[in-house]
């Protein structure tokens, strides 16, 4: 265990140090069983990376993503996001970070039911304090970019899976986040649609420099990413961090 | 997120579940309608009693002959004749007294044209109309000099006037009282029932002297049935009572240690009892109605708790896209409050409508005040906040990850 104070470079968007997560459950006899899901994770992800996380079911991928997305808190260890220790942030500040800095894309889309695609995309702007009419205007623009302007007034149950996921991506993008977290975004989609979605991510990463972290079970989906991380039983077993060797070059 | 945006989200959520919103609101509607109805009935009863008391005249004392028995006092029992007109005059001289009106009474037969009517006759002085707070419908009261000369003049109560004259104007006409002609000089405005439920408008009034000498006769000249005494001021009524007692004991030469041969009654005190009773009645009515409001409130809390559970995933999504705890809390609180306030407004309208219906069907006085409307509104928002807060806080305190994972 290192006693030296780690440095937090401004280029590292995400820095995890000895991050652990465990759950306590009561068994049938009322005894508390603690299961550790994440073990001493150390991980640095820099601004502009495109990372794929892979691993068996139950290896802790979603748990890690939830912590990265400030939806969950680690049991121990620390998480630095843009140089700020997440543990020190209030729930209001975390909500603001989720609103402004992070965009989520889920396997099950997680759109708000009985609400039009337009309003779904506009809602993060409402939480950012922007007026409803302005929010809708911007939302329409984002739907147009993902080719969905004709479906603006459709509710989620009137859209195909691919369309729903593109609505979800539009919603994730609307506040211009620096980080997109996608937990199995193509898990419910066919190959063709999956490729369309992945091309969209690739383009966002390349053209806008948005950091993308995605979880997938499929190798050809992971192939879109530049960096591959393998989790096994809550530990990182493979990390082909091609840029880590030369962080100084990254800084220019 | 600003308040108007949260308001919009809350309204949307209510619209998405119209049936449930409507049913929840129904609890509130019934509660508020019941409160408004009960309060208006209670207020109506109080107003009615206050009107009766005001019509009765203020600062009134009633002096009747005879001692007060342990079982109460016998009002105007004909056998005891210890009070006289002169007693009334003497009492009127006291500093604490404004005026006195001696009263004799009996039953007489009236005739006008072909009509017959049997009614009560009151022999008194002009002060009676003043002290008893009577107003004239037409004409005037009889005068002091008409009392002195025992003139044959009469003032009619409104019902008596109606029965004898119909639509004809009575003032200036002559009626016969026990076959003697009397000139009608005035007609009184209707007063309705007294606090004891007696009709006060079927009555005729003549000078006390005329009554004694020409109509009822009097085996004890100068004696009276009772006298009405009006005190000079409301806060000197106790003094007035003591002064009257002292003066009458002295005039009647009652030795120390012997009981009074008269009784002084404070009518204002009796009125206070009636007012208190009406007040208690309206409080009880209001309290009963409040129970239904409470039940409505608990219904709202129940529905909101179900709603929070059912919408856990929605809450999780909202948190993931940036809703902070306050935004979630405010949205759920607003939903509960909107149900309450809209239900309250509808209940208010139904309550007012119901009150109107009661006033029409049961011929009761119903009073609706701005204060009551404000109270209903305040009450329903308070119920909304009170019963909406716990579910809203429960929603807001969910951990984002748990809410998102909820199935
Ligand atoms: N709230 C919880 N309480 C208890 N245990 C939990 C909880 N959430 C997750 N776990 C456990 O943590 C482990 C990792 O779960 P996680 O969802 O991160 O897996 P995953 O890698 O995303 O799997 P998959 O590929 O199937 O989505 C699992 O064994 C799971 O049972
Ligand atoms: Mg998972």
């Amino acid at each position: 265990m290192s006693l030296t104070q780690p440095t937090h470079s401004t280029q590292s968007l995400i820095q995890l140090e000895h991050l652990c997560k465990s759950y306590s459950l009561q068994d049938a006899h009322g005894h508390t069983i603690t299961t550790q899901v994440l073990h001493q994770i150390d991980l640095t992800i820099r601004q502009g990376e495109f990372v794929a996380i892979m691993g068996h079911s139950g290896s802790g991928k979603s748990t890690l993503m939830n912590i990265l997305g400030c939806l969950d808190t680690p049991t121990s260890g620390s998480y630095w996001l843009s140089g700020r220790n997440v543990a020190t942030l209030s729930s209001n500040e975390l909500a603001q970070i989720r609103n402004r800095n992070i965009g989520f894309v889920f396997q099950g889309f997680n759109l708000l039911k009985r609400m039009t695609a337009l309003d779904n995309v506009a809602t993060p702007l409402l939480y950012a304090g922007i007026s409803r009419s302005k929010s809708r205007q911007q939302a329409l623009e984002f739907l147009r970019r993902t080719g969905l302007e004709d479906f603006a007034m459709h509710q989620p149950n009137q859209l195909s899976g691919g369309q729903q996921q593109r609505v979800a991506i539009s919603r994730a993008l609307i506040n211009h986040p620096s980080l997109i977290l996608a937990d199995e975004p193509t898990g419910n989609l066919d190959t063709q649609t999956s490729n369309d979605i992945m091309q969209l991510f690739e383009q966002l990463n390349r053209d806008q420099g948005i950091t993308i972290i995605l979880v997938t079970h499929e190798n050809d989906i992971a192939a879109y990413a530049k960096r591959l991380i393998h989790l096994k039983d809550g530990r990182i077993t493979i990390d082909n961090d091609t840029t880590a060797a030369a962080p100084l070059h990254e800084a220019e | 997120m600003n308040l108007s945006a949260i308001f919009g989200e809350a309204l949307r959520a209510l619209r998405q579940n119209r049936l449930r919103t409507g049913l929840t609101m129904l609890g509130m509607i019934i509660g508020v309608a019941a409160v408004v109805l009960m309060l208006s009935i209670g207020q109506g009863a109080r107003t009615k009693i206050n009107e009766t008391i005001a019509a009765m005249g203020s600062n009134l004392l009633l002096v009747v002959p005879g001692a007060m028995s342990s079982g109460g006092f016998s009002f105007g029992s004909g056998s005891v004749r210890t009070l006289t007109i002169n007693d009334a005059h003497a009492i009127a001289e006291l500093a604490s007294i404004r005026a006195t009106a001696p009263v004799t009474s009996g039953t007489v037969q009236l005739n006008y044209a072909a009509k017959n009517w049997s009614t009560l006759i009151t022999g008194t002085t002009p002060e009676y109309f003043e002290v008893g707070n009577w107003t004239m419908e037409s004409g005037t009261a009889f005068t002091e000099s008409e009392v002195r000369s025992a003139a044959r003049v009469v003032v009619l109560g409104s019902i008596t006037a109606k029965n004898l004259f119909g639509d004809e104007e009575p003032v200036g006409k002559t009626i016969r009282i026990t076959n003697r002609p009397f000139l009608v000089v005035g007609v009184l405005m209707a007063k309705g029932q007294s606090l004891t439920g007696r009709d006060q408008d079927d009555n005729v009034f003549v000078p006390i002297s005329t009554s004694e000498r020409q109509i009822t006769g009097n085996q004890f000249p100068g004696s009276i049935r009772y006298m009405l005494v009006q005190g000079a001021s409301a806060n000197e009524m106790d003094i007035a009572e003591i002064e009257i007692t002292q003066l009458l004991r002295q005039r009647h030469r009652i030795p120390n240690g012997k009981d009074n041969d008269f009784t002084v009654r404070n009518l204002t005190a009796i009125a206070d009892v009636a007012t208190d009773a009406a007040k208690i009645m309206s409080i009880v009515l209001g309290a009963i109605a409040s129970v239904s409001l409470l039940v409505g409130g608990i219904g709202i809390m129940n529905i909101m708790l179900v709603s929070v559970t059912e919408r856990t995933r929605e809450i999780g999504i909202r948190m993931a896209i940036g809703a902070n705890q306050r935004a979630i809390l405010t949205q759920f609180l607003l939903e509960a409050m909107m149900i309450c306030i809209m239900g309250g407004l509808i209940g208010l309208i139904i309550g007012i409508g119901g009150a109107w219906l009661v006033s029409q069907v049961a011929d009761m006085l119903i009073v609706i005040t701005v204060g009551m409307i404000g109270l209903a509104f305040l009450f329903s928002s308070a119920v909304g906040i009170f019963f909406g807060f716990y579910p809203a806080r429960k929603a807001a305190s969910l951990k984002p990850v748990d809410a998102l994972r909820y199935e």
Side-chain angles (χ1 to χ4, degrees):
Chain A
M1 238 174 244
S2 131
L3 288 173
T4 53
Q5 186 68 27
T7 54
H8 305 287
S9 82
T10 45
Q11 295 84 35
S12 64
L13 176 68
I14 287 169
Q15 190 153 354
L16 304 180
E17 287 157 6
H18 316 314
L19 190 105
C20 298
K21 178 71 183 178
S22 47
Y23 292 104
S24 295
L25 290 174
Q26 303 271 319
D27 73 1
H29 308 288
H31 301 296
T32 307
I33 313 169
T34 305
T35 43
Q36 189 158 3
V37 178
L38 296 177
H39 299 266
Q40 303 278 340
I41 304 265
D42 289 293
L43 178 65
T44 304
I45 294 171
R46 282 166 298 276
Q47 186 71 56
E49 285 201 71
F50 191 165
V51 183
I53 300 176
M54 297 189 79
H56 293 299
S57 183
S59 56
K61 305 180 297 293
S62 293
T63 306
L64 179 62
M65 289 292 268
N66 287 334
I67 292 172
L68 292 179
C70 301
L71 294 167
D72 203 356
T73 46
T75 313
S76 67
S78 52
Y79 170 21
W80 301 78
L81 179 64
S82 304
R84 297 163 87 188
N85 186 350
V86 169
T88 63
L89 300 177
S90 70
S91 86
N92 262 350
E93 289 170 314
L94 292 175
Q96 195 170 350
I97 285 173
R98 289 195 295 267
N99 184 235
R100 313 264 166 102
N101 307 53
I102 303 174
F104 293 94
V105 180
F106 303 93
Q107 177 176 6
F109 319 130
N110 273 345
L111 295 176
L112 293 171
K113 278 181 276 180
R114 289 196 244 178
M115 224 162 124
T116 60
L118 186 70
D119 282 337
N120 260 292
V121 177
T123 306
L125 288 177
L126 293 181
Y127 286 117
I130 291 163
S131 77
R132 195 173 286 274
S133 59
K134 261 197 179 161
S135 302
R136 284 200 174 135
Q137 226 172 306
Q138 286 189 41
L140 194 63
E141 174 57 30
F142 273 77
L143 283 175
R144 187 173 295 134
R145 280 190 219 167
T146 46
L148 281 170
E149 53 179 317
D150 292 342
F151 298 93
M153 299 318 283
H154 286 229
Q155 295 188 354
N157 57 1
Q158 299 162 334
L159 293 170
S160 74
Q163 288 165 337
Q164 287 189 57
Q165 196 59 300
R166 276 188 284 164
V167 172
I169 292 171
S170 305
R171 180 179 69 184
L173 291 173
I174 192 130
N175 261 334
H176 306 285
S178 49
L179 172 65
I180 290 210
L181 297 172
D183 194 349
E184 301 188 48
T186 61
N188 288 359
L189 304 175
D190 64 41
T191 320
Q192 179 55 44
T193 319
S194 298
N195 284 325
D196 291 348
I197 296 287
M198 288 317 295
Q199 274 157 20
L200 186 59
F201 279 135
E202 196 174 40
Q203 182 199 331
L204 288 167
N205 175 255
R206 188 184 55 233
D207 299 348
Q208 298 181 38
I210 298 175
T211 312
I212 296 174
I213 303 173
L214 76 86
V215 169
T216 183
H217 285 288
E218 293 162 66
N219 287 319
D220 38 347
I221 296 295
Y224 283 91
K226 296 176 197 155
R227 177 177 171 189
L228 188 70
I229 292 171
H230 255 276
L231 273 186
K232 194 181 178 210
D233 298 332
R235 290 186 177 85
I236 295 177
T237 51
I238 302 173
D239 183 354
N240 67 345
D241 188 356
T242 49
T243 48
L248 288 175
H249 292 292
E250 191 78 6
E252 52 190 4
Chain B
M1 194 181 223
N2 52 37
L3 201 63
S4 78
I6 298 178
F7 187 83
E9 295 299 297
L11 197 65
R12 186 210 302 274
L14 292 182
R15 283 221 199 96
Q16 279 175 1
N17 244 315
R18 275 167 213 271
L19 182 65
R20 173 195 284 179
T21 305
L23 286 174
T24 318
M25 217 180 262
L26 200 61
M28 213 54 215
I29 292 171
I30 293 170
V32 171
V35 167
V36 169
L37 187 62
M38 292 304 148
L39 285 182
S40 62
I41 288 175
Q43 190 64 41
R46 288 171 74 177
T47 308
K48 179 86 191 159
I49 282 173
N50 286 341
E51 275 174 6
T52 309
I53 289 166
M56 191 175 82
S58 49
N59 307 341
L60 283 192
L61 295 171
L62 184 71
V63 186
V64 293
M68 183 163 32
S69 66
S70 55
F73 72 110
S74 51
F75 177 49
S77 57
S79 53
V80 206
R81 294 268 140 159
T82 52
L83 277 184
T84 65
I85 293 175
N86 287 336
D87 285 338
H89 291 323
I91 289 170
E93 299 304 315
L94 290 170
S96 59
I97 303 303
R98 210 179 74 76
T100 59
V103 173
T104 64
S105 63
T107 320
V108 287
Q109 189 73 27
L110 311 178
N111 299 92
Y112 175 73
K115 281 182 206 135
N116 272 304
W117 189 250
S118 172
T119 188
L120 262 136
I121 188 164
T122 300
T124 187
T125 58
E127 282 86 2
Y128 182 86
F129 302 103
E130 222 178 287
V131 170
N133 208 15
W134 288 94
T135 40
M136 307 302 293
E137 170 92 50
S138 61
T140 57
F142 45 78
T143 63
E144 209 61 61
S145 68
E146 282 165 334
V147 173
R148 253 178 273 124
S149 62
R152 283 188 190 164
V153 286
V154 62
V155 171
L156 303 181
S158 62
I159 287 179
T160 316
K162 187 97 195 143
N163 280 315
L164 283 180
F165 288 90
D167 293 334
E168 214 181 316
E169 170 59 55
V171 174
K173 305 279 165 32
T174 303
I175 63 167
R176 298 184 81 83
I177 302 178
T178 53
N179 271 325
R180 291 185 176 86
F182 275 74
L183 178 69
V184 178
V185 292
V187 177
L188 294 171
M189 200 90 97
K191 236 186 192 188
Q193 294 185 341
S194 72
L195 275 183
T196 52
R198 190 174 50 83
D199 189 341
Q200 304 175 88
D201 297 321
D202 190 5
N203 212 336
V204 296
F205 301 85
V206 296
I208 192 164
S209 46
T210 319
S211 153
E212 187 179 294
R213 282 173 226 165
Q214 303 184 31
I215 300 170
T216 51
N218 201 337
Q219 63 265 53
F220 308 103
S223 75
I224 58 175
R225 255 283 164 73
Y226 64 93
M227 73 174 98
L228 278 179
V229 180
Q230 185 166 40
S233 87
N235 23 2
E236 283 181 20
M237 293 306 284
D238 291 345
I239 299 171
E241 218 176 309
I242 292 164
E243 285 187 358
I244 291 169
T245 309
Q246 281 172 350
L247 182 68
L248 286 181
R249 283 184 73 90
Q250 188 188 327
R251 284 178 62 85
H252 296 183
R253 300 202 171 79
I254 300 170
N256 283 346
K258 285 208 84 176
D259 285 344
N260 294 340
D261 59 357
F262 58 89
T263 306
V264 183
R265 267 277 159 140
N266 189 337
L267 288 186
T268 317
I270 295 171
D272 285 347
V273 172
T275 316
D276 286 350
K279 197 169 172 181
I280 288 167
M281 182 185 93
S282 54
I283 289 171
V284 169
L285 286 179
I288 291 169
S290 303
V291 172
S292 60
L293 200 60
L294 190 74
V295 172
I298 293 170
I300 285 172
M301 180 143 129
N302 188 15
I303 294 294
M304 291 312 293
L305 282 173
V306 171
S307 182
V308 167
T309 311
E310 209 185 73
R311 287 156 65 192
T312 302
R313 207 177 170 80
E314 176 198 324
I315 294 165
I317 296 170
R318 286 182 183 276
M319 285 173 162
I321 61 176
N324 58 23
Q325 290 186 336
R326 211 188 47 176
I328 300 288
L329 183 101
T330 312
Q331 178 179 338
F332 277 84
L333 199 56
L334 274 179
E335 283 181 28
M337 283 181 69
M338 276 196 275
I339 289 177
C340 284
I341 291 174
M342 283 196 289
L345 287 178
I346 297 171
L348 186 67
I349 292 165
I350 291 176
I352 291 173
W356 178 83
L357 210 68
V358 168
S359 74
Q360 297 298 306
V361 172
D363 194 26
M364 274 166 78
L365 180 70
I366 301 292
V367 174
I368 291 161
T369 61
V370 180
M372 266 157 58
I373 294 171
L375 198 74
F377 191 73
L378 214 75
F379 232 68
S380 45
S381 358
V383 166
I385 294 173
F386 187 80
F387 291 106
F389 188 77
Y390 176 70
R393 208 194 51 182
K394 202 176 160 203
S397 58
L398 284 168
K399 268 178 72 181
V401 64
D402 295 336
L404 266 174
R405 277 203 180 152
Y406 187 84
E407 291 301 333

